[in-house]
mmCIF file of all heavy atoms in Angstrom:
data_model
loop_
_atom_site.group_PDB
_atom_site.id
_atom_site.type_symbol
_atom_site.label_atom_id
_atom_site.label_comp_id
_atom_site.label_asym_id
_atom_site.label_seq_id
_atom_site.Cartn_x
_atom_site.Cartn_y
_atom_site.Cartn_z
ATOM 1 N N GLN A 1 -8.390 7.523 11.972
ATOM 2 C CA GLN A 1 -7.046 7.659 12.497
ATOM 3 C C GLN A 1 -6.022 6.966 11.610
ATOM 4 O O GLN A 1 -4.824 7.304 11.667
ATOM 5 C CB GLN A 1 -6.956 7.087 13.911
ATOM 6 C CG GLN A 1 -7.938 7.707 14.900
ATOM 7 C CD GLN A 1 -9.313 7.052 14.831
ATOM 8 O OE1 GLN A 1 -9.619 6.336 13.891
ATOM 9 N NE2 GLN A 1 -10.136 7.324 15.838
ATOM 10 N N VAL A 2 -6.464 6.008 10.799
ATOM 11 C CA VAL A 2 -5.546 5.280 9.948
ATOM 12 C C VAL A 2 -5.003 6.212 8.868
ATOM 13 O O VAL A 2 -5.725 7.063 8.328
ATOM 14 C CB VAL A 2 -6.227 4.049 9.314
ATOM 15 C CG1 VAL A 2 -7.367 4.458 8.391
ATOM 16 C CG2 VAL A 2 -5.210 3.195 8.571
ATOM 17 N N GLN A 3 -3.731 6.065 8.581
ATOM 18 C CA GLN A 3 -3.079 6.810 7.514
ATOM 19 C C GLN A 3 -2.498 5.829 6.509
ATOM 20 O O GLN A 3 -1.932 4.800 6.885
ATOM 21 C CB GLN A 3 -1.977 7.718 8.052
ATOM 22 C CG GLN A 3 -2.484 8.929 8.813
ATOM 23 C CD GLN A 3 -1.389 9.923 9.091
ATOM 24 O OE1 GLN A 3 -0.322 9.556 9.584
ATOM 25 N NE2 GLN A 3 -1.644 11.182 8.769
ATOM 26 N N LEU A 4 -2.636 6.159 5.242
ATOM 27 C CA LEU A 4 -2.164 5.321 4.152
ATOM 28 C C LEU A 4 -1.034 6.027 3.441
ATOM 29 O O LEU A 4 -1.174 7.181 3.039
ATOM 30 C CB LEU A 4 -3.299 5.014 3.175
ATOM 31 C CG LEU A 4 -4.544 4.370 3.782
ATOM 32 C CD1 LEU A 4 -5.658 4.274 2.747
ATOM 33 C CD2 LEU A 4 -4.209 2.985 4.332
ATOM 34 N N THR A 5 0.084 5.322 3.282
ATOM 35 C CA THR A 5 1.267 5.895 2.663
ATOM 36 C C THR A 5 1.733 4.982 1.545
ATOM 37 O O THR A 5 2.184 3.858 1.799
ATOM 38 C CB THR A 5 2.388 6.101 3.686
ATOM 39 O OG1 THR A 5 1.911 6.910 4.766
ATOM 40 C CG2 THR A 5 3.579 6.790 3.034
ATOM 41 N N GLU A 6 1.637 5.453 0.317
ATOM 42 C CA GLU A 6 2.105 4.717 -0.846
ATOM 43 C C GLU A 6 3.525 5.155 -1.195
ATOM 44 O O GLU A 6 3.882 6.322 -1.020
ATOM 45 C CB GLU A 6 1.188 4.949 -2.050
ATOM 46 C CG GLU A 6 -0.267 4.543 -1.829
ATOM 47 C CD GLU A 6 -1.137 5.689 -1.350
ATOM 48 O OE1 GLU A 6 -0.592 6.714 -0.883
ATOM 49 O OE2 GLU A 6 -2.374 5.568 -1.445
ATOM 50 N N SER A 7 4.305 4.226 -1.721
ATOM 51 C CA SER A 7 5.669 4.534 -2.119
ATOM 52 C C SER A 7 6.116 3.558 -3.193
ATOM 53 O O SER A 7 5.467 2.541 -3.431
ATOM 54 C CB SER A 7 6.626 4.483 -0.924
ATOM 55 O OG SER A 7 6.683 3.183 -0.369
ATOM 56 N N GLY A 8 7.228 3.860 -3.824
ATOM 57 C CA GLY A 8 7.849 2.957 -4.774
ATOM 58 C C GLY A 8 7.597 3.255 -6.236
ATOM 59 O O GLY A 8 8.158 2.572 -7.102
ATOM 60 N N GLY A 9 6.776 4.236 -6.542
ATOM 61 C CA GLY A 9 6.533 4.571 -7.931
ATOM 62 C C GLY A 9 7.769 5.152 -8.594
ATOM 63 O O GLY A 9 8.730 5.540 -7.940
ATOM 64 N N GLY A 10 7.725 5.202 -9.910
ATOM 65 C CA GLY A 10 8.849 5.735 -10.651
ATOM 66 C C GLY A 10 8.686 5.536 -12.134
ATOM 67 O O GLY A 10 7.590 5.268 -12.634
ATOM 68 N N LEU A 11 9.798 5.662 -12.845
ATOM 69 C CA LEU A 11 9.839 5.548 -14.297
ATOM 70 C C LEU A 11 10.305 4.158 -14.692
ATOM 71 O O LEU A 11 11.344 3.685 -14.212
ATOM 72 C CB LEU A 11 10.774 6.607 -14.880
ATOM 73 C CG LEU A 11 11.041 6.554 -16.378
ATOM 74 C CD1 LEU A 11 9.760 6.800 -17.155
ATOM 75 C CD2 LEU A 11 12.113 7.566 -16.754
ATOM 76 N N VAL A 12 9.544 3.517 -15.574
ATOM 77 C CA VAL A 12 9.851 2.168 -16.034
ATOM 78 C C VAL A 12 9.679 2.115 -17.545
ATOM 79 O O VAL A 12 8.777 2.746 -18.098
ATOM 80 C CB VAL A 12 8.939 1.106 -15.381
ATOM 81 C CG1 VAL A 12 9.463 -0.297 -15.649
ATOM 82 C CG2 VAL A 12 8.830 1.347 -13.890
ATOM 83 N N GLN A 13 10.533 1.354 -18.212
ATOM 84 C CA GLN A 13 10.376 1.122 -19.641
ATOM 85 C C GLN A 13 9.235 0.143 -19.899
ATOM 86 O O GLN A 13 8.934 -0.702 -19.047
ATOM 87 C CB GLN A 13 11.667 0.583 -20.245
ATOM 88 C CG GLN A 13 12.828 1.557 -20.217
ATOM 89 C CD GLN A 13 14.072 0.990 -20.874
ATOM 90 O OE1 GLN A 13 14.109 -0.178 -21.269
ATOM 91 N NE2 GLN A 13 15.095 1.816 -20.998
ATOM 92 N N PRO A 14 8.580 0.235 -21.050
ATOM 93 C CA PRO A 14 7.564 -0.763 -21.384
ATOM 94 C C PRO A 14 8.132 -2.174 -21.302
ATOM 95 O O PRO A 14 9.245 -2.443 -21.755
ATOM 96 C CB PRO A 14 7.164 -0.404 -22.814
ATOM 97 C CG PRO A 14 7.488 1.052 -22.936
ATOM 98 C CD PRO A 14 8.713 1.267 -22.094
ATOM 99 N N GLY A 15 7.352 -3.079 -20.723
ATOM 100 C CA GLY A 15 7.805 -4.442 -20.501
ATOM 101 C C GLY A 15 8.578 -4.643 -19.223
ATOM 102 O O GLY A 15 8.874 -5.789 -18.867
ATOM 103 N N GLY A 16 8.881 -3.576 -18.521
ATOM 104 C CA GLY A 16 9.634 -3.664 -17.288
ATOM 105 C C GLY A 16 8.765 -3.970 -16.090
ATOM 106 O O GLY A 16 7.560 -4.207 -16.203
ATOM 107 N N SER A 17 9.398 -3.948 -14.919
ATOM 108 C CA SER A 17 8.736 -4.297 -13.670
ATOM 109 C C SER A 17 8.943 -3.203 -12.640
ATOM 110 O O SER A 17 9.932 -2.463 -12.678
ATOM 111 C CB SER A 17 9.280 -5.625 -13.124
ATOM 112 O OG SER A 17 9.083 -6.682 -14.041
ATOM 113 N N LEU A 18 8.020 -3.130 -11.706
ATOM 114 C CA LEU A 18 8.088 -2.153 -10.632
ATOM 115 C C LEU A 18 7.273 -2.662 -9.457
ATOM 116 O O LEU A 18 6.269 -3.355 -9.641
ATOM 117 C CB LEU A 18 7.565 -0.795 -11.097
ATOM 118 C CG LEU A 18 7.836 0.412 -10.185
ATOM 119 C CD1 LEU A 18 9.325 0.733 -10.150
ATOM 120 C CD2 LEU A 18 7.040 1.615 -10.662
ATOM 121 N N ARG A 19 7.699 -2.323 -8.255
ATOM 122 C CA ARG A 19 6.978 -2.679 -7.042
ATOM 123 C C ARG A 19 6.582 -1.414 -6.302
ATOM 124 O O ARG A 19 7.433 -0.563 -6.035
ATOM 125 C CB ARG A 19 7.833 -3.573 -6.143
ATOM 126 C CG ARG A 19 7.205 -3.860 -4.777
ATOM 127 C CD ARG A 19 8.052 -4.815 -3.949
ATOM 128 N NE ARG A 19 9.398 -4.308 -3.720
ATOM 129 C CZ ARG A 19 9.747 -3.495 -2.729
ATOM 130 N NH1 ARG A 19 8.826 -3.081 -1.865
ATOM 131 N NH2 ARG A 19 11.004 -3.108 -2.608
ATOM 132 N N VAL A 20 5.307 -1.306 -5.981
ATOM 133 C CA VAL A 20 4.828 -0.221 -5.143
ATOM 134 C C VAL A 20 4.362 -0.802 -3.813
ATOM 135 O O VAL A 20 3.907 -1.946 -3.747
ATOM 136 C CB VAL A 20 3.700 0.587 -5.819
ATOM 137 C CG1 VAL A 20 4.241 1.305 -7.049
ATOM 138 C CG2 VAL A 20 2.525 -0.299 -6.202
ATOM 139 N N SER A 21 4.493 -0.013 -2.752
ATOM 140 C CA SER A 21 4.194 -0.481 -1.410
ATOM 141 C C SER A 21 3.197 0.446 -0.739
ATOM 142 O O SER A 21 3.094 1.630 -1.071
ATOM 143 C CB SER A 21 5.470 -0.564 -0.566
ATOM 144 O OG SER A 21 6.386 -1.497 -1.103
ATOM 145 N N CYS A 22 2.474 -0.108 0.222
ATOM 146 C CA CYS A 22 1.515 0.639 1.015
ATOM 147 C C CYS A 22 1.711 0.290 2.479
ATOM 148 O O CYS A 22 1.750 -0.885 2.841
ATOM 149 C CB CYS A 22 0.082 0.313 0.599
ATOM 150 S SG CYS A 22 -1.185 1.081 1.635
ATOM 151 N N GLU A 23 1.842 1.313 3.312
ATOM 152 C CA GLU A 23 1.873 1.117 4.748
ATOM 153 C C GLU A 23 0.659 1.794 5.370
ATOM 154 O O GLU A 23 0.427 2.979 5.131
ATOM 155 C CB GLU A 23 3.151 1.659 5.372
ATOM 156 C CG GLU A 23 3.190 1.444 6.880
ATOM 157 C CD GLU A 23 4.562 1.640 7.483
ATOM 158 O OE1 GLU A 23 5.542 1.783 6.719
ATOM 159 O OE2 GLU A 23 4.660 1.638 8.728
ATOM 160 N N ALA A 24 -0.106 1.030 6.129
ATOM 161 C CA ALA A 24 -1.264 1.537 6.846
ATOM 162 C C ALA A 24 -0.905 1.649 8.313
ATOM 163 O O ALA A 24 -0.605 0.652 8.965
ATOM 164 C CB ALA A 24 -2.470 0.630 6.648
ATOM 165 N N SER A 25 -0.933 2.848 8.849
ATOM 166 C CA SER A 25 -0.570 3.098 10.236
ATOM 167 C C SER A 25 -1.770 3.629 11.007
ATOM 168 O O SER A 25 -2.750 4.099 10.427
ATOM 169 C CB SER A 25 0.594 4.090 10.319
ATOM 170 O OG SER A 25 0.244 5.327 9.718
ATOM 171 N N GLY A 26 -1.675 3.554 12.321
ATOM 172 C CA GLY A 26 -2.734 4.043 13.178
ATOM 173 C C GLY A 26 -3.803 3.024 13.512
ATOM 174 O O GLY A 26 -4.934 3.409 13.824
ATOM 175 N N PHE A 27 -3.461 1.750 13.462
ATOM 176 C CA PHE A 27 -4.390 0.682 13.791
ATOM 177 C C PHE A 27 -3.640 -0.410 14.540
ATOM 178 O O PHE A 27 -2.405 -0.436 14.547
ATOM 179 C CB PHE A 27 -5.038 0.107 12.529
ATOM 180 C CG PHE A 27 -4.051 -0.493 11.583
ATOM 181 C CD1 PHE A 27 -3.732 -1.845 11.643
ATOM 182 C CD2 PHE A 27 -3.418 0.287 10.633
ATOM 183 C CE1 PHE A 27 -2.813 -2.402 10.781
ATOM 184 C CE2 PHE A 27 -2.495 -0.255 9.762
ATOM 185 C CZ PHE A 27 -2.190 -1.604 9.839
ATOM 186 N N SER A 28 -4.388 -1.337 15.139
ATOM 187 C CA SER A 28 -3.771 -2.414 15.915
ATOM 188 C C SER A 28 -3.514 -3.667 15.102
ATOM 189 O O SER A 28 -2.464 -4.299 15.246
ATOM 190 C CB SER A 28 -4.642 -2.753 17.130
ATOM 191 O OG SER A 28 -5.937 -3.159 16.734
ATOM 192 N N THR A 29 -4.458 -4.043 14.244
ATOM 193 C CA THR A 29 -4.313 -5.249 13.444
ATOM 194 C C THR A 29 -5.161 -5.137 12.183
ATOM 195 O O THR A 29 -6.194 -4.461 12.174
ATOM 196 C CB THR A 29 -4.730 -6.503 14.232
ATOM 197 O OG1 THR A 29 -4.604 -7.658 13.400
ATOM 198 C CG2 THR A 29 -6.165 -6.381 14.719
ATOM 199 N N LEU A 30 -4.705 -5.803 11.133
ATOM 200 C CA LEU A 30 -5.445 -5.858 9.874
ATOM 201 C C LEU A 30 -6.076 -7.227 9.644
ATOM 202 O O LEU A 30 -6.459 -7.548 8.517
ATOM 203 C CB LEU A 30 -4.519 -5.525 8.704
ATOM 204 C CG LEU A 30 -4.123 -4.058 8.517
ATOM 205 C CD1 LEU A 30 -3.181 -3.908 7.333
ATOM 206 C CD2 LEU A 30 -5.350 -3.193 8.321
ATOM 207 N N ASP A 31 -6.229 -8.027 10.678
ATOM 208 C CA ASP A 31 -6.702 -9.399 10.529
ATOM 209 C C ASP A 31 -8.071 -9.495 9.874
ATOM 210 O O ASP A 31 -8.365 -10.482 9.196
ATOM 211 C CB ASP A 31 -6.749 -10.095 11.885
ATOM 212 C CG ASP A 31 -5.375 -10.451 12.412
ATOM 213 O OD1 ASP A 31 -4.388 -10.318 11.661
ATOM 214 O OD2 ASP A 31 -5.280 -10.870 13.582
ATOM 215 N N HIS A 32 -8.926 -8.505 10.064
ATOM 216 C CA HIS A 32 -10.284 -8.536 9.525
ATOM 217 C C HIS A 32 -10.463 -7.587 8.345
ATOM 218 O O HIS A 32 -11.598 -7.255 7.999
ATOM 219 C CB HIS A 32 -11.292 -8.198 10.621
ATOM 220 C CG HIS A 32 -11.179 -9.073 11.824
ATOM 221 N ND1 HIS A 32 -11.491 -10.415 11.796
ATOM 222 C CD2 HIS A 32 -10.779 -8.812 13.094
ATOM 223 C CE1 HIS A 32 -11.295 -10.935 12.996
ATOM 224 N NE2 HIS A 32 -10.865 -9.983 13.797
ATOM 225 N N TYR A 33 -9.385 -7.189 7.717
ATOM 226 C CA TYR A 33 -9.428 -6.175 6.671
ATOM 227 C C TYR A 33 -9.154 -6.763 5.297
ATOM 228 O O TYR A 33 -8.649 -7.876 5.144
ATOM 229 C CB TYR A 33 -8.396 -5.078 6.959
ATOM 230 C CG TYR A 33 -8.801 -4.118 8.045
ATOM 231 C CD1 TYR A 33 -8.792 -4.499 9.376
ATOM 232 C CD2 TYR A 33 -9.180 -2.811 7.736
ATOM 233 C CE1 TYR A 33 -9.160 -3.620 10.378
ATOM 234 C CE2 TYR A 33 -9.545 -1.925 8.723
ATOM 235 C CZ TYR A 33 -9.527 -2.333 10.041
ATOM 236 O OH TYR A 33 -9.885 -1.444 11.033
ATOM 237 N N ALA A 34 -9.522 -5.985 4.307
ATOM 238 C CA ALA A 34 -9.092 -6.199 2.938
ATOM 239 C C ALA A 34 -8.302 -4.979 2.491
ATOM 240 O O ALA A 34 -8.591 -3.851 2.910
ATOM 241 C CB ALA A 34 -10.284 -6.429 2.009
ATOM 242 N N ILE A 35 -7.299 -5.199 1.684
ATOM 243 C CA ILE A 35 -6.491 -4.110 1.149
ATOM 244 C C ILE A 35 -6.539 -4.176 -0.366
ATOM 245 O O ILE A 35 -6.585 -5.263 -0.955
ATOM 246 C CB ILE A 35 -5.040 -4.161 1.663
ATOM 247 C CG1 ILE A 35 -4.274 -2.921 1.205
ATOM 248 C CG2 ILE A 35 -4.351 -5.452 1.247
ATOM 249 C CD1 ILE A 35 -2.935 -2.731 1.887
ATOM 250 N N GLY A 36 -6.547 -3.015 -0.987
ATOM 251 C CA GLY A 36 -6.620 -2.977 -2.434
ATOM 252 C C GLY A 36 -5.813 -1.839 -3.018
ATOM 253 O O GLY A 36 -5.477 -0.864 -2.338
ATOM 254 N N TRP A 37 -5.507 -1.996 -4.292
ATOM 255 C CA TRP A 37 -4.847 -0.962 -5.066
ATOM 256 C C TRP A 37 -5.816 -0.425 -6.106
ATOM 257 O O TRP A 37 -6.437 -1.195 -6.845
ATOM 258 C CB TRP A 37 -3.587 -1.498 -5.746
ATOM 259 C CG TRP A 37 -2.468 -1.759 -4.792
ATOM 260 C CD1 TRP A 37 -2.166 -2.932 -4.170
ATOM 261 C CD2 TRP A 37 -1.511 -0.802 -4.346
ATOM 262 N NE1 TRP A 37 -1.068 -2.771 -3.357
ATOM 263 C CE2 TRP A 37 -0.642 -1.469 -3.454
ATOM 264 C CE3 TRP A 37 -1.286 0.547 -4.617
ATOM 265 C CZ2 TRP A 37 0.426 -0.829 -2.823
ATOM 266 C CZ3 TRP A 37 -0.225 1.183 -3.989
ATOM 267 C CH2 TRP A 37 0.610 0.490 -3.105
ATOM 268 N N PHE A 38 -5.934 0.885 -6.152
ATOM 269 C CA PHE A 38 -6.771 1.580 -7.116
ATOM 270 C C PHE A 38 -5.897 2.460 -7.982
ATOM 271 O O PHE A 38 -4.828 2.907 -7.560
ATOM 272 C CB PHE A 38 -7.824 2.446 -6.403
ATOM 273 C CG PHE A 38 -8.981 1.679 -5.819
ATOM 274 C CD1 PHE A 38 -8.780 0.660 -4.903
ATOM 275 C CD2 PHE A 38 -10.282 1.989 -6.182
ATOM 276 C CE1 PHE A 38 -9.832 -0.045 -4.355
ATOM 277 C CE2 PHE A 38 -11.359 1.298 -5.637
ATOM 278 C CZ PHE A 38 -11.132 0.281 -4.735
#
């Protein structure tokens, strides 16, 4: 039931910075979870 939604990607120059985000919906708590970026 959980859905994963990534956002924030885009175009960056070499040496620059960017932030990407993940929202996990369809659950009650993430207290016992691990989250990762692949």
Side-chain angles (χ1 to χ4, degrees):
Q1 303 84 345
V2 64
Q3 288 191 310
L4 304 173
T5 304
E6 301 93 343
S7 63
L11 174 64
V12 192
Q13 294 182 354
S17 301
L18 192 68
R19 173 177 59 86
V20 294
S21 298
C22 175
E23 180 165 351
S25 60
F27 61 92
S28 59
T29 179
L30 285 179
D31 286 351
H32 305 292
Y33 284 73
I35 186 168
W37 288 93
F38 284 57

